[in-house]
Amino acid sequence: VQLQASGGGLVQAGGSLRLSCAASGNIFRINVMGWYRQAPGKERELVAASISGGSTVYSDSVKGRFTIPRDNTKNTVYLQMNSLKPEDTAVYYCNALVSTATTNSVSYWGQGTQVTVSS
């Protein structure tokens, strides 16, 4: 299973960016797809997650500004980031809990994508 993330970049405070993460490979079911981020000198933290069945989870710091749409037909999750703040600057990582024909709910990570918000 591979996760391919894209969409990072440089944006001014108050602007918007959309990240994409597409999963491919021998996938039976994607149980959870989500986004984490890691700022310099800080631990990796959960930003948002989309759970099979439709529920979503957001960190308090992004509630009301970020959404996590998911396209199950494309095994793709997005992170729509609005009203960006300099403190959102970080490397963003896609994560998925995937079940295959032979494994149950294994965690996979995509490559990080840099998001930089200038003040």
Side-chain angles (χ1 to χ4, degrees):
V1 176
Q2 297 84 37
L3 301 182
Q4 181 67 45
S6 62
L10 172 65
V11 65
Q12 288 189 331
S16 298
L17 278 176
R18 189 173 87 152
L19 307 182
S20 299
C21 175
S24 62
N26 184 22
I27 297 169
F28 175 69
R29 182 179 62 248
I30 300 178
N31 302 304
V32 182
M33 291 190 85
W35 291 93
Y36 289 72
R37 68 186 180 188
Q38 187 166 20
K42 295 187 176 182
E43 293 187 354
R44 191 173 296 188
E45 63 173 359
L46 175 68
V47 177
S50 173
I51 301 167
S52 178
S55 59
T56 55
V57 175
Y58 296 95
S59 70
D60 289 343
S61 63
V62 306
K63 279 181 184 176
R65 300 188 297 122
F66 291 11
T67 59
I68 186 167
R70 178 171 168 177
D71 186 340
N72 291 322
T73 66
K74 297 180 180 179
N75 288 336
T76 298
V77 70
Y78 306 92
L79 186 67
Q80 179 64 45
M81 303 184 290
N82 300 325
S83 302
L84 281 160
K85 304 176 181 180
E87 51 264 44
D88 294 318
T89 295
V91 178
Y92 284 69
Y93 296 92
C94 176
N95 175 266
L97 295 179
V98 179
S99 294
T100 69
T102 57
T103 62
N104 185 32
S105 210
V106 174
S107 177
Y108 294 89
W109 291 93
Q111 85 284 10
T113 184
Q114 177 71 45
V115 172
T116 303
V117 184
S118 63
S119 58

